[in-house]
Amino acid sequence: MIKLDIANALMQAHPCSRATALQAVDLLTERMKQALLDGHRIEIRGFGVFEPRPRKRGMGRNIKTGDSVAIPKGKSIRFKPGKELREIEVE
Amino acid sequence: MIKLDIANALMQAHPCSRATALQAVDLLTERMKQALLDGHRIEIRGFGVFEPRPRKRGMGRNIKTGDSVAIPKGKSIRFKPGKELREIEVE
DNA sequence: ATTGGCGATGTCGAGCTTGATCATGGAAAC
DNA sequence: GTTTCCATGATCAAGCTCGACATCGCCAAT
C-alpha cells in the first residue's frame, strides 16, 4: 500500500478528485511529521502511538571498512501498534 | 497530538465539518490497519514505512513469577521513519 | 463524564539500529 | 500513463532496546 492507495481510500469517503485526496494525505503526513519533529507524541486510540525517542546507542558499523563508527546523535520515532493492530492472526 | 488534531489539520485542507474530517481520519486509520493486518507494507515516501514483521523471539518474562514465558505467536508492526523524520535535531 | 485503551514496572534474550553503497521502486514530472 | 529521480532495502557487527505478562492510573475517545 502506497500513498495512492491511501488517497484512494480517502476518495471513497470524500467525493473529491484524486489530486485533492492526494494533497490531503500529503498534508496529514507532513503535519504528523512536523508534530513528531516537534517532539509531540501522536496517539491514535485503536491504531497505534508514534513516539519520538532519544537514541541512547552511540555506535554503528561501517560495512566497507568493517570498523565501528560512533553514531553521533539522533532520535528515533517509535511506533507502538495499538490493541487492534496486535491482534494479528498467525497461521 | 491526538485524532482530533489530525482531523483539525484535515479541516484546514478540506473545508468540511469536523465530523466529516473525523470520519475521514478514522477511515484512513482503519484502512491502514486492515492493510497491515493483511500483511501489506505501507510505504509513504518521505514519512516512513509500516511493515508487518513476524516475531521470531519466543520468550518473555512474567513480572510476577519472574519466570520465562514462551511468547506464543504474533507479529509486530514495525515503523521505519523516513529520511525527513530522521532529520531530527538534537539539542 | 464514562469507558477502556494505554503506560510503567521488571527480567532477559533476541531482534533492532546505525552507516555506506548499489539496485529497486515509490513518487513526482511530462 | 510513462519516464526519471531519489529515497528505500539489504548487508555486517556490536551494542542496546524491545517485548511479554499483570495491574492501576491516566488520558483518548465517545
Side-chain angles (χ1 to χ4, degrees):
Chain A
M1 171 181 274
I2 58 179
K3 193 187 294 184
L4 291 176
D5 297 302
I6 300 179
N8 234 353
L10 187 60
M11 288 172 63
Q12 295 180 2
H14 285 256
C16 58
S17 64
R18 177 181 294 176
T20 305
L22 221 27
Q23 292 177 15
V25 175
D26 194 53
L27 177 78
L28 288 188
T29 55
E30 191 170 353
R31 293 274 300 193
M32 292 172 65
K33 184 173 60 183
Q34 287 303 320
L36 290 174
L37 291 176
D38 195 42
H40 295 303
R41 192 180 67 169
I42 301 179
E43 180 166 345
I44 307 298
R45 198 66 163 262
F47 179 69
V49 178
F50 297 88
E51 187 177 18
R53 282 170 25 93
R55 197 181 313 127
K56 307 178 185 67
R57 297 170 302 186
M59 66 188 58
R61 174 69 48 153
N62 194 329
I63 191 173
K64 297 186 306 181
T65 63
D67 185 62
S68 303
V69 293
I71 298 174
K73 55 181 173 62
K75 293 180 185 176
S76 293
I77 305 296
R78 179 199 176 197
F79 172 70
K80 181 180 297 188
K83 180 186 179 184
E84 300 183 39
L85 265 184
R86 289 179 300 206
E87 295 174 352
I88 304 180
E89 188 57 32
V90 179
E91 66 283 354
Chain B
M1 172 180 274
I2 58 180
K3 192 187 292 183
L4 291 175
D5 297 303
I6 300 178
N8 233 354
L10 187 60
M11 288 172 62
Q12 294 181 3
H14 285 257
C16 59
S17 64
R18 176 181 295 175
T20 305
L22 222 26
Q23 291 177 14
V25 175
D26 195 53
L27 177 79
L28 288 188
T29 55
E30 192 170 352
R31 293 275 300 194
M32 292 172 65
K33 183 172 60 183
Q34 288 302 320
L36 291 174
L37 291 176
D38 196 42
H40 294 304
R41 193 181 66 169
I42 301 180
E43 180 166 345
I44 307 298
R45 196 58 87 82
F47 180 69
V49 178
F50 297 89
E51 187 177 18
R53 286 171 40 90
R55 198 180 312 129
K56 307 179 187 65
R57 297 175 301 186
M59 64 187 60
R61 178 69 47 156
N62 194 328
I63 191 173
K64 296 188 305 181
T65 64
D67 185 63
S68 303
V69 292
I71 297 176
K73 55 185 174 59
K75 294 178 183 174
S76 293
I77 306 296
R78 178 198 178 199
F79 172 71
K80 181 182 297 189
K83 181 185 179 185
E84 299 183 39
L85 265 185
R86 289 179 299 207
E87 295 174 350
I88 304 181
E89 79 291 351
V90 179
E91 65 281 356

